[in-house]
Amino acid sequence: MAKKKVVVALGHKALGTTLPEQKSAVKKTAAIIADLVEAGAELVITHSNAPQVGMIHTAMNEFGKVHSDYTAVPMSVCSAMSQGYIGYDIQNAIRAELLRRGIFKPVSTIITQVTVDPYDDAFHEPVKVIGRVLTEEEAELEEQKGNYVTKVEGGYRRIVAAPKPQDVVEIDAIRTLSDAGQIVIACGGGGIPVLEQQASLNGASAVIEKDLVSGKLAELLDAEELLILTSVEKVSLNYQSDKEEKIEKMDVETAKKYMQENQFGASTMLPKVEAAVSFVEKKAGRKAVITSIDRAKDGFLGKTGTVIE
Ligand SMILES: Nc1ncnc2c1ncn2[C@@H]1O[C@H](COP(=O)(O)OP(=O)(O)O)[C@@H](O)[C@H]1O
Ligand SMILES: NC(=O)OP(=O)(O)O
């Protein structure tokens, strides 16, 4: 069977939010990942973290108020924590599922840092929603602490800066493991955003879009495919209107035109299409597919999803 290097981006549906939800969601996800492995995909996996990183940040910093010997925990450290515990659950679930199917393939998580530009305009305009939905009173308390919030359906959510990913610091380790035929989970939650200052990498107070880093990672690994697994089977035009139309396929020019027409949700579908375009336009023959996690194997086999080529 021909092997194909694929970067798979897992969205919220693949993970759930709370720990019990995550335990059960990743079991299902692991079966989907194992199907892809059996279908010939050499996988590097990225994943979401927005609800989790918000939860960790709140928990760590509220705890600090109760116990004076606990110090404040910055967002970059919370990103690292989210990579650790989400990766831990995903890697163990995949390992168990592969063993059940008689497949012996190492799976590991790499704590990954991603450089960002200190002058990125995103630092002046936080847009990335994190954490859970807050009541008005909770939102006011967050603002009093110096945090930013935005109105969302059902209440408010915290927002932080989402600078563009520039480079993946641990790329050589990821490539080495992947080239050796191992499954790698990397750049979780968009990667830990870091500023390169002389010899040091200093954590930035931000959360990177995981879809954008997935495109960057696929590019750096020279993958053949970027498979973005979300909650809809296909990307739509005129989404949720009576003129809604599912897109089967788009070339780069068409995708760019739709982006200009604001066809895609700014912090939901747009980064997925942007990542797909940026990955495929850099080299002929590359393919990106956006589909639902439930249809992952069919998406990989070209039977469904929105294809960007
Ligand atoms: N044009 C569009 N076509 C399809 N879905 C869209 C579109 N615009 C916005 N969306 C929304 O994008 C969501 C997927 O984004 P998001 O929930 O952020 O993904 P994930 O967590 O899976 O990465 C879909 O569930 C859908 O509600
Ligand atoms: N970091 C990130 O993009 O997470 P979500 O996919 O959960 O928004």
Side-chain angles (χ1 to χ4, degrees):
M1 187 202 319
K3 297 277 181 201
K4 199 176 188 187
K5 187 161 288 201
V6 183
V7 170
V8 172
L10 300 174
H12 298 117
K13 206 176 160 194
L15 305 176
T17 302
T18 62
L19 209 49
E21 267 174 32
Q22 184 171 295
K23 284 267 178 226
S24 100
V26 296
K27 250 191 184 175
K28 272 193 183 166
T29 301
I32 288 157
I33 294 294
D35 287 346
L36 293 173
V37 170
E38 287 185 327
E42 294 276 7
L43 296 172
V44 177
I45 300 168
T46 66
H47 62 79
S48 287
N49 81 337
Q52 294 87 346
V53 78
M55 178 171 71
I56 295 170
H57 193 260
T58 302
M60 296 304 293
N61 289 292
E62 290 303 313
F63 214 50
K65 286 186 197 149
V66 185
H67 299 278
S68 57
D69 48 344
Y70 283 47
T71 53
V73 178
M75 194 57 81
S76 52
V77 176
C78 297
S79 274
M81 289 181 182
S82 76
Q83 285 188 352
Y85 93 95
I86 297 172
Y88 162 65
D89 265 355
I90 302 177
Q91 77 185 44
N92 277 341
I94 296 174
R95 178 182 174 275
E97 183 61 31
L98 292 178
L99 283 177
R100 253 194 293 282
R101 298 184 190 201
I103 302 170
F104 300 93
K105 208 181 223 324
V107 191
S108 57
T109 301
I110 295 195
I111 300 297
T112 320
Q113 302 172 90
V114 172
T115 55
V116 295
D117 180 352
Y119 300 107
D120 191 316
D121 285 342
F123 283 111
H124 303 291
E125 199 190 337
V127 291
K128 178 83 194 150
V129 291
I130 61 162
R132 64 183 174 83
V133 176
L134 307 169
T135 62
E136 195 169 345
E137 294 71 42
E138 288 172 321
E140 275 168 15
L141 284 175
E142 287 298 337
E143 285 186 320
Q144 283 165 22
K145 285 188 244 166
N147 296 324
Y148 296 93
V149 296
T150 191
K151 204 157 184 1
V152 295
E153 209 184 308
Y156 297 80
R157 281 181 83 184
R158 280 190 62 190
I159 39 172
V160 292
K164 296 264 183 293
Q166 292 199 311
D167 216 351
V168 175
V169 177
E170 287 78 15
I171 191 67
D172 290 334
I174 300 166
R175 188 183 288 115
T176 302
L177 291 177
S178 174
D179 287 351
Q182 303 192 17
I183 297 177
V184 188
I185 301 158
C187 294
I192 305 157
V194 290
L195 304 168
E196 202 165 5
Q197 287 156 338
Q198 283 89 40
S200 306
L201 294 171
N202 297 318
S205 184
V207 172
I208 301 171
E209 271 297 346
K210 72 106 177 39
D211 295 310
L212 297 186
V213 95
S214 306
K216 172 64 81 179
L217 184 60
E219 183 194 321
L220 293 173
L221 294 173
D222 196 18
E224 286 148 283
E225 186 166 325
L226 171 63
L227 181 58
I228 300 181
L229 300 179
T230 182
S231 43
V232 289
E233 190 176 335
K234 288 179 186 168
V235 183
S236 296
L237 288 180
N238 310 308
Y239 182 59
Q240 287 186 321
S241 79
D242 50 10
K243 289 195 187 120
E244 180 164 349
E245 223 181 291
K246 309 271 179 215
I247 307 170
E248 308 276 331
K249 213 174 219 195
M250 359 181 212
D251 59 21
V252 166
E253 289 313 306
T254 313
K256 283 184 177 174
K257 178 171 127 349
Y258 293 154
M259 283 195 269
Q260 273 179 351
E261 291 171 7
N262 295 322
Q263 288 284 353
F264 313 122
S267 51
T268 52
M269 192 50 75
L270 180 62
K272 298 180 199 330
V273 178
E274 273 181 345
V277 164
S278 153
F279 169 62
V280 302
E281 78 178 345
K282 293 207 176 69
K283 189 173 168 186
R286 287 180 177 169
K287 179 181 176 185
V289 180
I290 302 173
T291 193
S292 72
I293 177 128
D294 307 321
R295 302 297 309 274
K297 187 176 168 194
D298 283 342
F300 176 63
L301 295 175
K303 295 181 184 168
T304 190
T306 298
V307 176
I308 301 100
E309 281 183 305

